[in-house]
């Protein structure tokens, strides 16, 4: 029986999801959620990161919608932190990092604000106190400060009082903004947010990736001119690496299919074709290209591996993309790849002794820390256990709220 049609596999996904939720509970901190180390202990020497607190709030809102005891309390804790210590009460928006004495980074970034929207959307769908207030404010900030309606994209970074806009533009923030806008569109029943997501995806996928042999340009100047050599001297950067990022090809694949399903009959025909092309390129240039199983992190503009470390989030997005393409097409090849990659994840990434997933492996599939240390959050891994069991639309929290979990 195909894995994606197997009740036994669905039970295994549920068990793995519950294991991840249990691991993440230790990250609760009085002011949000902490970065966890390899053993699942909070790394209290690190400032609290906004993206970690947002992702954990989102995940525990999903867990609550699945009927997991205490997950609603954890989601409430995250909402309270986002409306409290992380929030800039003077200028609005959210600080990227906070320490015991207050913010340690004061810049306001689109990447993190996208996750505030996602956390607010999931908390709202879960009926958690303060979720709707958080969502409404986060959307207002995004649309006022980050959304560029002329270009149909989001800008990257402002200073604390929104007076100076940085010249860098990035695809990564736009990718997560698509995810956030789709979630908010479903929660609020606001199709205008879905249309904004389509504008971003048209620009990045249908224009930029299609014109670049399906390798997504990641870094741009203020005129949205690509900077192909950006971070050539720091290729393993965790958020802005040099070259094309294999995992983002998989993630954009999945988002294109979620958007296609959400738009229904109004969806442009190219969404499925482009999703296939992105997936095929990421598979061809990313999977086992150096003779060892696993996805390389990045490739250059000729498709040659640059950073060969294997990241857990890339594998998670690969299984999610394969599941999404199988849902959209019914083609067996995607189920075959899905099964292969879960076998790889179980053998290499899942830490059966200490919990959660190893976040990074070497090219020889041994634990590595070139880019990541510890196990910061469970967002990518948990979603990989959930996406195969839900329809492509609506998005995760609303699908759970409507009782659509298979």
């Amino acid at each position: 029986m195909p894995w994606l049609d197997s009740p036994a596999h669905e039970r295994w996904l549920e068990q793995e999801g519950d294991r991840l939720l249990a691991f993440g509970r230790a990250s609760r901190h009085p002011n949000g959620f902490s970065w966890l180390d390899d053993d699942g202990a909070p790394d209290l020497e690190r400032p609290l990161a906004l993206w970690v607190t947002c992702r954990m709030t989102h995940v525990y809102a999903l867990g609550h919608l699945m009927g997991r005891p205490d997950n609603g309390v954890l989601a409430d804790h995250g909402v309270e932190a986002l409306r409290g210590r992380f929030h800039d009460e003077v200028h609005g928006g959210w600080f990227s990092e906070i320490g015991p004495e207050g913010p340690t980074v004061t810049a306001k970034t689109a990447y993190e604000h996208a996750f505030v929207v996602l956390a607010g959307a999931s908390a709202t769908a879960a009926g958690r106190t303060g979720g709707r207030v958080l969502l409404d404010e986060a959307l207002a900030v995004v649309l006022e400060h980050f959304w560029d309606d002329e270009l149909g994209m989001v800008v990257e970074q402002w200073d604390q009082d929104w007076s100076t806009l940085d010249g860098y533009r990035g695809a990564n923030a736009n990718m997560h903004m698509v995810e956030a806008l789709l979630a908010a569109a479903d929660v609020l029943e606001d199709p205008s947010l879905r249309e904004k997501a389509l504008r971003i995806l048209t620009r990045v996928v249908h224009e930029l990736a299609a014109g670049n042999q399906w390798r997504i340009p990641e870094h741009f100047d203020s005129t949205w001119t690509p900077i192909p050599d950006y971070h050539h001297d720091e290729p393993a950067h965790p958020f802005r690496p040099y070259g094309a990022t294999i995992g983002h090809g998989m993630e954009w694949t999945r988002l294109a299919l979620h958007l296609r399903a959400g738009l229904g009959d109004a969806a442009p025909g190219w969404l499925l074709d482009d999703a296939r092309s992105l997936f095929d390129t990421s598979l061809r240039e990313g999977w086992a290209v150096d003779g060892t199983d696993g996805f390389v992190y990045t490739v250059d503009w000729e498709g040659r591996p640059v950073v060969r470390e294997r990241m857990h989030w890339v594998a998670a997005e690969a299984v999610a993309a394969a599941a999404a393409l199988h849902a959209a097409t019914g083609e067996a090849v995607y189920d075959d790849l899905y099964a292969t990659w879960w076998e790889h994840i179980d053998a290499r990434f899942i830490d059966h002794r200490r919990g959660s997933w190893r976040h990074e492996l070497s090219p020889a599939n041994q634990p590595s820390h070139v880019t990541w240390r510890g196990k910061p959050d469970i967002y990518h891994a948990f979603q990989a256990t959930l996406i195969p069991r839900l329809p492509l639309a609506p998005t995760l929290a609303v699908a759970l709220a409507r009782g659509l979990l298979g």
Side-chain angles (χ1 to χ4, degrees):
M1 175 181 289
W3 279 39
L4 284 160
D5 296 327
S6 167
H9 177 61
E10 288 190 358
R11 289 193 296 272
W12 183 88
L13 290 174
E14 182 176 24
Q15 292 166 2
E16 178 58 20
D18 284 343
R19 203 179 67 90
L20 288 162
L21 290 172
F23 181 89
R25 287 187 180 95
S27 65
R28 178 172 177 162
H29 180 282
N31 297 322
F33 289 97
S34 294
W35 189 291
L36 296 179
D37 67 15
D38 286 333
D39 293 310
D43 185 348
L44 299 179
E45 294 185 2
R46 288 179 176 269
L48 297 184
L50 177 60
W51 61 271
V52 170
T53 291
C54 289
R55 287 179 173 186
M56 297 299 272
T57 303
H58 160 69
V59 163
Y60 284 113
L62 299 179
H64 171 73
L65 286 164
M66 297 167 69
R68 273 39 179 185
D70 88 349
N71 279 203
V73 173
L74 290 167
D76 292 346
H77 174 72
V79 170
E80 183 179 355
L82 294 172
R83 296 184 63 199
R85 292 293 297 276
F86 277 101
H87 187 251
D88 185 342
E89 298 293 340
V90 177
H91 303 290
W94 286 266
F95 298 117
S96 297
E97 290 184 356
I98 59 171
E101 306 303 320
T104 57
V105 176
T106 59
K108 310 286 177 60
T109 54
Y111 177 86
E112 279 86 353
H113 279 68
F115 282 114
V116 181
V117 173
L118 181 64
S122 297
T124 300
R128 307 315 299 177
T129 301
R132 180 60 187 270
V133 174
L134 177 65
L135 174 58
D136 287 345
E137 183 176 358
L139 273 175
V141 169
V142 163
L143 296 179
E144 178 181 357
H145 295 293
F146 292 105
W147 178 251
D148 184 336
D149 195 56
E150 180 180 354
L151 293 177
M153 299 282 280
V154 294
V155 298
E156 186 76 18
Q157 179 174 305
W158 290 91
D159 61 356
Q160 182 175 354
D161 65 2
W162 308 103
S163 61
T164 303
L165 177 63
D166 188 78
Y168 173 85
R169 305 287 182 270
N172 191 14
N174 278 273
M175 180 183 71
H176 284 291
M177 196 62 73
V178 168
E179 177 186 35
L181 290 170
L182 291 179
D186 286 339
V187 169
L188 300 175
E189 298 183 351
D190 183 349
S192 72
L193 300 176
R194 207 172 286 115
E195 291 300 319
K196 287 179 171 61
L198 177 59
R199 291 186 67 189
I200 295 173
L201 206 139
T202 300
R203 172 78 165 161
V204 174
V205 174
H206 196 53
E207 296 174 5
L208 291 168
N212 196 45
Q213 298 180 294
W214 299 106
R215 301 181 193 110
I216 298 169
E218 294 279 351
H219 313 295
F220 306 84
D221 66 17
S222 61
T223 67
W224 283 99
T225 301
I227 311 174
D229 290 334
Y230 189 91
H231 271 171
H232 189 274
D233 58 345
E234 194 179 352
H237 193 280
F239 296 107
R240 298 183 184 182
Y242 162 73
T245 306
I246 293 298
H248 287 169
M250 293 294 186
E251 207 161 348
W252 282 105
T253 293
R254 176 174 64 81
L255 291 170
L257 297 172
H258 289 312
L259 175 59
R260 176 176 177 264
L263 290 171
D265 292 341
W270 57 262
L271 278 169
L272 178 57
D273 294 336
D274 286 13
R276 287 182 186 272
S277 296
L278 281 176
F279 183 90
D280 290 347
T281 300
S282 299
L283 168 63
R284 183 179 65 253
E285 298 183 351
W287 173 251
V289 293
D290 52 6
T292 303
D293 283 353
F295 288 95
V296 299
Y297 182 34
T298 60
V299 297
D300 67 15
W301 301 115
E302 301 300 321
R304 296 170 298 211
V306 177
V307 178
R308 295 168 55 224
E309 269 65 28
R310 278 73 163 132
M311 307 298 173
H312 93 291
W313 70 266
V314 178
E317 288 299 333
V319 293
L325 275 165
H326 185 269
T329 68
E331 294 176 13
V333 62
Y334 299 118
D335 186 89
D336 293 341
L337 290 167
Y338 173 89
T340 295
W341 295 338
W342 266 122
E343 295 277 14
H344 172 67
I345 289 169
D346 183 61
R348 300 297 187 178
F349 281 107
I350 294 178
D351 191 335
H352 293 280
R353 182 171 65 88
R354 294 190 290 182
S356 190
W357 295 15
R358 302 176 183 93
H359 270 44
E360 179 180 334
L361 302 175
S362 72
N365 282 315
Q366 298 301 309
S368 176
H369 299 98
V370 172
T371 299
W372 294 101
R373 286 196 171 274
K375 299 168 179 172
D377 74 318
I378 59 174
Y379 154 83
H380 283 287
F382 182 74
Q383 290 196 155
T385 71
L386 194 54
I387 289 166
R389 297 186 284 150
L390 288 170
L392 289 171
T395 45
L396 301 181
V398 172
L400 291 172
R402 294 180 184 175
L404 301 180
L405 184 62

